[in-house]
Amino acid sequence: MKRLLTAAVLICTALSVEAQGDIWRSDSLQEVVVTGTGTQHLLKDAPVQTEVITQKMLRQYGGKSLEDILSGLTASFAFNEGDMGSQMQLNGLGNSYILILIDGKRIHGDVGGENDLGLIDPHNIEKIEIVKGAQSALYGSDAMAGVINIITKKHTEKGVYADNVTRYGSHNDLRQHNSVVLRFGQFSSQTNFQLQRSDGWQNTTEEWAEAMVLTDSKNMTVNKFQNWQVAERLTYQPMKNLELYAEGSYYKKNIMRPRNGTHASCDVYTYDLRYNNASASVGGKWSLTPNPSPRGEGSDMRKGKAQQANYITFDLDWNKHAYYYDYTAKHYDYVLLQGEEYGEQNGEWFSVAMLPGQSKLQSDQQRVMGLLKGIFHLPYGNTLNAGAEYRYDYLKAPERTATGTASDQTGAVYVQDELNMVDWLNVTAGLRLVDNRSFGFHLSPKVSAMVSTGDFRFRVGWSQGFKTPTVKELYYRYLHVMGSSTFFNIGNTDLKPQTSNYWSANVEYRGRKLTASVTGYVNKLDQMIALVNVSPGEIPAGITTAYLGDGSTNVQARMYKNMDDARTCGVDVTLSYRVMAGLTLNAAYSYLDTKAHLYDEHKDRMMTVTIDGTAHHKWNASAMYNYTFSPTYALGVSLTGRGSSKRYYQNNGDGKAFQIWRVNTTHDLGRQDRMLAYRVEVGVDNIFNYVDRTMRPYHLGTNTSGTTVYGTLSIKFNYGKRVKKHIYSSKQSNNEED
């Protein structure tokens, strides 16, 4: 790792000499980020290393989902999309270690440790900020691997704004987005709607089941699905330095599974899956500065320095995620009788017939969060960020927990100070104190430093993470079927919290044409929680016969346990070069190595394994070009590729290496400064038709269906927008900003 870092510094230094004389300066230098410290910084001056997917990149890439965007435009992520959500991995660690925020607020929708990223409308994203590792005291237990902050589009002009985006592609894949914004006087309203649907696809008919290879399985690689969401946000500004808001959303997803298969044990399903989400929030922002800047935090972006803009924000959120079985055929389910009223039958399982049209709740997860945060600019170059949080988690799962319900409570206070006594040095230090109802108090420190010299930035950081077991890891129990194998996964109330130590070092050059960054990191986790095979004698009393009443003879019990430790380390490299006005080349590479200690019950010893899903090498590359031909037509073309080496797993084989390329074109029609504007987008994904046809249930490198085509039509209506006089010049046709 030391050799790689040294070589990268030398390369960046050599290239900077060539770049000094160029008159063009990348607009990314002026990108403003907030995720790392909670305060505004120009990207080039962010004390914590931050990766940004800009609006320009999002526009020219044309991704249909957040999974598509992250896998195509960064090299650190890997996905295994399934019915239960996206099995996401960031630098070796999975979903439960990744915190996903929308405008700084965490999303809710965990299903068995997998996030349903369909909750996030890709057409409503302004940009994405990524901070890797537990580098900030602002965030809690879910951020050991990193933070993804989705910044949504804001429409601040007075009057009426509306847009419609319709995308249609192969497999009857339809993506619909609509928004309406009304802003008059002190009031504003923003309504968003999105719809996503697909017929799914099947890459192979082969499946290992019933102790043989079946060649006519009806199981789909991606099942048919449909989801929709409606959201509303209201804001009111009773005085110049105070803004209040209320918002809410409702989300519904249906997954339709095969019903006419020929093998009852694997490809004939008697129920579909349904998810219902709802949320409601209220809060506000109170500026303590007499004349707050209209930019919100009062940052002087021309100088890259913060004005004395002090403020307090407060939020109260409620979120609900419910998961159901919708029965499509007669199904015999097993119900666990619980409670004193059942006498000798307490704890026994009985068969109950479920009929088509009936539904059954599997789990209902609800969360209430209260947050209070303040930003205060103090003398001698200090910026203080302090806050408090309260979180209540509630789980209702009548047949998947011992008592039918379970809950947890966590409180936290944090303080973080940015010290900028001299222009070339920033030191950021923070402490986070957590109090969990079951596991008590824990203090986590964080510290980072950045040295600036010319166009170079050198950053180092160290942080500790603390993560208590989730309610599901403690209490949940469920059946997981993979081919002919059935696993009974069991929660464990004897779990201990997980802790981590994260070290990172970064060197970054941001010049007039070239941007280059190299980051090395080590993340060491203790008491890591994982599902481990256990013998019948290790199953807690009272649930020994759970799910075994169906007569199955091939059920393996697995329990959540603390592994001894785990370690991930790697190097991330990103490059961006502006060849000329309108043409930019980008590349990223991520090297990853992981090790974990897992108890081998057969040999009664710890063994060293690679964390499931690890790929040692991942990369992506892109060429993005745009040109304005006239005031009424502009063209954008992007060619992007991504690839991965083999992904390692302990069971069911490794995922194959792959590379995939796509081309996307955008066509802006009409004058973009007028009331109506149009955009047409046409693209081809997976140009070389790569398909992984590994039989089920073995792991895939990627589940792409092969070459697909798509088209998008966007219409924007803006009445009352204050538009600067449009000036056209072919010499200014780089179109860096709309």
Side-chain angles (χ1 to χ4, degrees):
M1 186 180 298
K2 290 180 180 178
R3 289 196 295 269
L4 285 171
L5 289 173
T6 303
V9 172
L10 294 174
I11 292 171
C12 293
T13 304
L15 290 173
S16 69
V17 174
E18 182 275 336
Q20 289 294 333
D22 194 274
I23 62 173
W24 294 99
R25 177 166 292 275
S26 170
D27 285 345
S28 65
L29 292 173
Q30 307 305 316
E31 191 76 45
V32 180
V33 296
V34 298
T35 306
T37 61
T39 55
Q40 286 187 345
H41 290 276
L42 294 179
L43 178 59
K44 68 184 181 69
D45 295 323
V48 176
Q49 171 65 13
T50 304
E51 185 176 351
V52 177
I53 300 176
T54 66
Q55 173 61 205
K56 178 186 174 185
M57 296 170 68
L58 291 169
R59 261 196 334 261
Q60 293 197 243
Y61 181 72
K64 68 179 180 180
S65 64
L66 185 61
E67 296 96 326
D68 188 9
I69 292 168
L70 291 176
S71 61
L73 295 177
T74 69
S76 301
F77 289 92
F79 293 90
N80 279 342
E81 297 182 51
D83 288 346
M84 303 294 286
S86 297
Q87 298 177 22
M88 179 168 49
Q89 192 180 73
L90 170 59
N91 286 349
L93 298 177
N95 289 66
S96 62
Y97 301 97
I98 304 169
L99 177 61
I100 303 176
L101 307 174
I102 300 180
D103 293 326
K105 297 166 64 176
R106 65 180 63 209
I107 69 168
H108 181 67
D110 168 65
V111 184
E114 300 172 3
N115 293 309
D116 183 0
L117 299 184
L119 288 162
I120 300 171
D121 182 355
H123 298 294
N124 196 38
I125 299 175
E126 178 67 27
K127 64 178 179 178
I128 302 171
E129 298 179 7
I130 302 166
V131 175
K132 298 169 186 175
Q135 294 199 71
S136 178
L138 279 61
Y139 309 114
S141 62
D142 299 335
M144 280 184 170
V147 179
I148 305 170
N149 192 6
I150 312 296
I151 311 297
T152 60
K153 294 179 179 178
K154 307 295 189 302
H155 306 282
T156 58
E157 298 86 1
K158 302 289 185 180
V160 179
Y161 171 90
D163 65 21
N164 172 86
V165 182
T166 303
R167 170 180 170 138
Y168 183 77
S170 304
H171 310 298
N172 281 326
D173 190 290
L174 175 66
R175 312 281 165 146
Q176 178 71 36
H177 160 86
N178 298 92
S179 66
V180 177
V181 182
L182 307 174
R183 184 176 289 273
F184 299 101
Q186 299 168 302
F187 295 90
S188 71
S189 166
Q190 180 165 337
T191 306
N192 289 309
F193 172 81
Q194 69 156 325
L195 170 71
Q196 303 175 357
R197 71 164 309 279
S198 172
D199 286 345
W201 60 85
Q202 184 186 49
N203 288 347
T204 180
T205 60
E206 289 190 335
E207 180 164 359
W208 172 258
E210 302 175 7
M212 61 183 297
V213 176
L214 306 175
T215 59
D216 57 349
S217 172
K218 299 299 188 296
N219 266 316
M220 306 284 283
T221 304
V222 172
N223 281 315
K224 182 178 181 179
F225 73 89
Q226 176 174 300
N227 63 57
W228 60 269
Q229 181 184 51
V230 61
E232 173 68 27
R233 179 181 174 91
L234 301 171
T235 61
Y236 172 59
Q237 192 170 10
M239 57 186 71
K240 190 173 183 180
N241 64 338
L242 177 63
E243 182 178 87
L244 305 175
Y245 78 88
E247 63 183 10
S249 68
Y250 181 78
Y251 171 87
K252 183 177 180 180
K253 181 175 184 176
N254 292 92
I255 297 174
M256 288 69 81
R257 307 197 295 177
R259 303 175 186 177
N260 57 348
T262 56
H263 306 280
S265 65
C266 67
D267 64 355
V268 176
Y269 293 94
T270 56
Y271 55 87
D272 292 336
L273 308 177
R274 172 167 53 92
Y275 306 95
N276 287 354
N277 279 43
S279 69
S281 304
V282 294
K285 181 176 181 178
W286 178 31
S287 175
L288 306 177
T289 305
N291 296 302
S293 164
R295 297 198 65 153
E297 290 195 6
S299 297
D300 186 346
M301 291 298 109
R302 292 170 299 176
K303 298 181 180 179
K305 296 181 179 180
Q307 298 174 347
Q308 300 301 310
N310 304 323
Y311 65 91
I312 294 174
T313 62
F314 45 94
D315 303 274
L316 180 63
D317 303 329
W318 169 80
N319 291 269
K320 174 187 174 70
H321 175 85
Y323 160 44
Y324 297 86
Y325 287 170
D326 288 341
Y327 291 93
T328 57
K330 191 172 184 179
H331 176 92
Y332 287 95
D333 208 348
Y334 288 84
V335 178
L336 179 64
L337 301 181
Q338 302 177 87
E340 296 180 358
E341 65 270 25
Y342 294 108
E344 294 182 357
Q345 294 180 319
N346 181 35
E348 295 185 18
W349 293 77
F350 286 83
S351 175
V352 175
M354 303 300 298
L355 302 178
Q358 292 184 313
S359 298
K360 180 182 288 188
L361 174 69
Q362 301 303 307
S363 71
D364 179 2
Q365 300 174 80
Q366 299 188 39
R367 185 195 70 201
V368 176
M369 285 195 69
L371 304 98
L372 179 66
K373 182 182 81 170
I375 302 292
F376 309 97
H377 295 274
L378 306 177
Y380 307 108
N382 285 272
T383 301
L384 184 66
N385 190 332
E389 298 179 3
Y390 171 77
R391 174 173 173 170
Y392 175 74
D393 288 289
Y394 171 78
L395 170 66
K396 179 181 179 181
E399 298 178 12
R400 300 190 178 208
T401 57
T403 60
T405 62
S407 64
D408 192 23
Q409 298 181 54
T410 302
V413 293
Y414 65 85
V415 60
Q416 176 177 277
D417 185 41
E418 297 178 54
L419 180 61
N420 291 272
M421 295 187 67
V422 292
D423 289 341
W424 56 270
L425 176 64
N426 175 289
V427 177
T428 301
L431 289 171
R432 186 179 183 89
L433 178 64
V434 176
D435 178 24
N436 181 266
R437 181 177 65 183
S438 302
F439 300 98
F441 289 91
H442 186 87
L443 186 66
S444 300
K446 333 268 181 176
V447 63
S448 64
M450 181 184 71
V451 175
S452 306
T453 173
D455 290 327
F456 282 94
R457 302 293 182 268
F458 300 90
R459 301 179 179 91
V460 294
W462 167 75
S463 60
Q464 285 190 342
F466 176 73
K467 179 175 173 57
T468 58
T470 66
V471 174
K472 281 196 169 185
E473 290 169 341
L474 291 168
Y475 303 107
Y476 206 57
R477 51 185 81 152
Y478 62 99
L479 202 65
H480 182 59
V481 180
M482 296 183 66
S484 59
S485 299
T486 303
F487 298 96
F488 176 38
N489 298 335
I490 309 168
N492 183 1
T493 55
D494 293 328
L495 289 173
K496 300 176 183 178
Q498 303 169 84
T499 59
S500 69
N501 279 275
Y502 180 84
W503 296 269
S504 66
N506 165 260
V507 57
E508 181 179 79
Y509 170 79
R510 288 186 176 273
R512 298 176 185 273
K513 294 183 72 172
L514 173 72
T515 298
S517 174
V518 180
T519 303
Y521 63 90
V522 175
N523 201 356
K524 189 177 185 303
L525 288 80
D526 291 314
Q527 303 293 345
M528 188 176 181
I529 295 174
L531 278 169
V532 178
N533 293 340
V534 295
S535 61
E538 295 181 85
I539 300 177
I543 61 172
T544 303
T545 60
Y547 289 107
L548 301 181
D550 59 1
S552 173
T553 59
N554 190 23
V555 178
Q556 171 64 57
R558 299 192 299 186
M559 182 182 293
Y560 287 103
K561 285 194 171 186
N562 291 103
M563 298 167 63
D564 184 27
D565 61 65
R567 186 268 298 155
T568 69
C569 67
V571 177
D572 293 337
V573 181
T574 61
L575 295 169
S576 180
Y577 185 70
R578 189 171 181 181
V579 180
M580 60 181 184
L583 176 61
T584 303
L585 305 180
N586 305 288
Y589 167 75
S590 178
Y591 171 78
L592 172 66
D593 183 55
T594 68
K595 286 184 172 57
H597 290 102
L598 184 66
Y599 177 70
D600 187 336
E601 63 173 359
H602 300 295
K603 298 182 179 179
D604 192 25
R605 64 178 177 84
M606 299 299 295
M607 61 179 182
T608 301
V609 300
T610 300
I611 294 177
D612 274 1
T614 295
H616 290 313
H617 310 280
K618 294 192 293 292
W619 62 270
N620 63 60
S622 66
M624 296 186 174
Y625 175 75
N626 57 84
Y627 190 84
T628 301
F629 288 89
S630 72
T632 58
Y633 179 68
L635 170 69
V637 180
S638 70
L639 175 66
T640 58
R642 61 185 176 92
S644 171
S645 61
K646 179 171 63 176
R647 299 185 69 186
Y648 294 91
Y649 293 90
Q650 297 305 307
N651 299 304
N652 293 321
D654 298 325
K656 294 179 180 178
F658 68 90
Q659 63 170 300
I660 293 174
W661 291 85
R662 68 184 291 170
V663 62
N664 185 68
T665 65
T666 61
H667 310 266
D668 290 306
L669 308 174
R671 294 178 66 103
Q672 299 299 302
D673 59 345
R674 298 298 172 86
M675 187 181 301
L676 281 173
Y678 306 89
R679 165 171 290 188
V680 175
E681 187 175 312
V682 179
V684 181
D685 197 5
N686 198 348
I687 298 171
F688 301 108
N689 196 32
Y690 174 79
V691 181
D692 187 344
R693 301 194 183 279
T694 302
M695 78 169 73
R696 289 175 55 93
Y698 293 93
H699 292 288
L700 302 174
T702 174
N703 64 1
T704 177
S705 64
T707 300
T708 58
V709 297
Y710 60 88
T712 302
L713 173 64
S714 303
I715 305 173
K716 294 182 181 180
F717 171 83
N718 204 347
Y719 180 76
K721 179 180 180 182
R722 299 174 182 174
V723 182
K724 294 181 180 179
K725 184 178 179 181
H726 181 83
I727 300 176
Y728 169 73
S729 170
S730 60
K731 295 182 180 179
Q732 298 174 342
S733 62
N734 52 303
N735 248 3
E736 291 299 327
E737 297 293 339
D738 281 343

